[in-house]
Amino acid sequence: LLLIEQAENPLFEIERELCKKFTAVNIKAVICNITDENRVDKIFKEYNPQVVIHAAAHKHVPLMELNAGEAIKNNILGTQIVAKAAENYGTTNFVMISTDKAVNPTSIMGSSKRIAEMYIQDLSRTSKTHFVTVRFGNVLDSDGSVVPIFKKQIARGGPVTVTHPEMKRYFMTIPEASQLVLQAATMGKGGEIFVLDIGEPVKIIELARELIT
């Protein structure tokens, strides 16, 4: 199991956690920026991965509006580099993690992920690698999701900030998200976009009120 990440502290933490829980699994922590084509190529050449779960992306909507070039570089060009390496080295299954914000995108982040989706779908038409996409809503309590942000704001005594009172989001749990990715890897024949049926969208302001209560 290869854990590939550019941020060393999260990589260090997840490697420790997984090694402790799964002592029989051979786990390697690899530091890599996916926009570094030579580094990505070297990793694929050395390890020849069968299944690639491509989750690397800049996901913060307001930050990406302010740093549009970085969103394009990481989310589009980074995806292109990893996907081409997967094709070149005979990866069997490639799952790209996308976002519900790629549907009729209204932000740089959503637009960059939609372009990455389109690239993956186009590549799947001619490749032996099964390229599929999984679209997520918000994963409850994951890094960068609203729940940890709200919890911190509440712990400080407020205020709890919501971007817009009518803002709605779909939510899923971490286990649901993980299972969706693995199922997509086994079900995908190439070119599909998988979405988990997660019921009705939740108003962010209602979620904030629930947490405060």
Side-chain angles (χ1 to χ4, degrees):
L1 178 63
L2 296 177
L3 308 173
I4 298 176
E5 171 61 71
Q6 68 168 329
E8 59 175 342
N9 287 335
L11 179 61
F12 176 70
E13 293 296 335
I14 195 66
E15 184 202 21
R16 287 182 67 192
E17 182 184 329
L18 290 175
C19 286
K20 190 175 179 182
K21 285 183 181 176
F22 305 101
T23 52
V25 180
N26 184 13
I27 296 169
K28 287 251 171 45
V30 181
I31 291 181
C32 170
N33 184 325
I34 60 161
T35 62
D36 183 342
E37 194 167 359
N38 290 334
R39 176 69 174 145
V40 170
D41 190 79
K42 187 180 176 188
I43 291 165
F44 273 80
K45 190 175 182 179
E46 184 175 351
Y47 295 106
N48 214 5
Q50 290 171 292
V51 178
V52 172
I53 311 291
H54 172 54
H58 288 318
K59 304 176 186 74
H60 198 287
V61 174
L63 268 182
M64 290 308 102
E65 292 299 312
L66 297 171
N67 300 275
E70 292 303 306
I72 291 161
K73 182 169 73 177
N74 203 57
N75 296 358
I76 300 173
L77 299 180
T79 297
Q80 187 178 13
I81 287 166
V82 178
K84 287 304 288 182
E87 183 180 45
N88 291 342
Y89 289 98
T91 294
T92 310
N93 298 83
F94 184 105
V95 184
M96 182 186 121
I97 310 300
S98 190
T99 168
D100 57 357
K101 298 175 187 74
V103 184
N104 301 322
T106 57
S107 64
I108 291 290
M109 196 282 268
S111 300
S112 66
K113 293 297 280 183
R114 179 64 189 130
I115 293 166
E117 285 182 358
M118 291 163 74
Y119 177 80
I120 289 295
Q121 282 186 300
D122 189 62
L123 197 58
S124 74
R125 293 192 181 101
T126 55
S127 179
K128 289 181 180 177
T129 301
H130 298 311
F131 286 98
V132 301
T133 297
V134 174
R135 276 186 188 154
F136 279 0
N138 286 265
V139 180
L140 275 169
D141 233 4
S142 65
D143 268 2
S145 79
V146 294
V147 174
I149 293 168
F150 286 165
K151 281 181 178 175
K152 285 177 185 173
Q153 290 177 335
I154 292 163
R156 286 198 299 263
V160 176
T161 57
V162 177
T163 310
H164 192 280
E166 293 303 312
M167 181 87 73
K168 291 181 179 179
R169 284 285 176 267
Y170 289 96
F171 285 98
M172 64 173 76
T173 64
I174 293 171
E176 283 174 332
S178 306
Q179 285 165 23
L180 176 63
V181 172
L182 296 176
Q183 285 168 359
T186 56
M187 289 163 58
K189 299 288 182 279
E192 302 98 331
I193 294 177
F194 290 94
V195 183
L196 187 67
D197 182 1
I198 46 175
E200 295 302 311
V202 177
K203 267 193 174 183
I204 301 293
I205 199 161
E206 294 302 328
L207 179 67
R209 285 184 181 132
E210 282 290 320
L211 281 167
I212 292 164
T213 305

